[in-house]
Amino acid sequence: SPSRRWILYVFCFLTVGTAAGVVYGWPALRKQLQEDGSTLDESSLGAIFTVGAWSTQGGRFFVGLARDRFGTRSVSAVCILFVGLGSLGVAWSDPSNALALSVSMFSL
C-alpha cells in the first residue's frame, strides 16, 4: 500500500542520513573530538574513519545478500538498530577510546 511505502521511505531516509552524517561529517566530528580532549593521534583518528567508511560503503554488499535471504523488513529493522546503536556509541564514547569509537563507527 502507498502508506507503507512512505513509512519505509522515511525509515530509509533517516537511516542513510544518520549514517552518512556521521561518516561524511567526520572532519567536523574529528575536530570536536580533539576539542573534547582526545589524546588519539591523526593515524588513529584516520583508522577510525576508515572503519566507518568501509562499513558504510562495503557493508552494502553484505546487507544485499542478507536482504535476498531474509527479506527487506527484517534486514531493515536490524540495520536501523545498528545505526541507532552506532550513533549513540559515537555520541557517548570517551573521545580517547579508539576501540569504542571504531566499534561504534563500524555499527553505522
Side-chain angles (χ1 to χ4, degrees):
S1 75
S3 63
R4 292 179 79 187
R5 288 184 185 173
W6 277 106
I7 292 170
L8 181 61
Y9 174 76
V10 168
F11 280 130
C12 291
F13 182 78
L14 291 173
T15 303
V16 170
T18 303
V22 173
V23 173
Y24 296 115
W26 181 254
L29 182 59
R30 184 185 71 217
K31 182 179 177 185
Q32 186 63 46
L33 288 171
Q34 291 170 335
E35 288 176 4
D36 288 345
S38 176
T39 58
L40 300 173
D41 59 354
E42 284 298 319
S43 63
S44 297
L45 291 170
I48 294 168
F49 170 75
T50 302
V51 167
W54 184 88
S55 71
T56 300
Q57 299 301 326
R60 293 178 186 182
F61 174 75
F62 299 108
V63 169
L65 291 174
R67 204 174 130 210
D68 289 343
R69 179 166 175 92
F70 302 110
T72 301
R73 184 178 305 179
S74 58
V75 172
S76 294
V78 170
C79 288
I80 290 170
L81 177 71
F82 273 99
V83 168
L85 291 175
S87 297
L88 291 174
V90 170
W92 292 338
S93 292
D94 177 36
S96 297
N97 189 340
L99 179 62
L101 287 169
S102 296
V103 169
S104 298
M105 290 291 285
F106 187 77
S107 295
L108 292 174

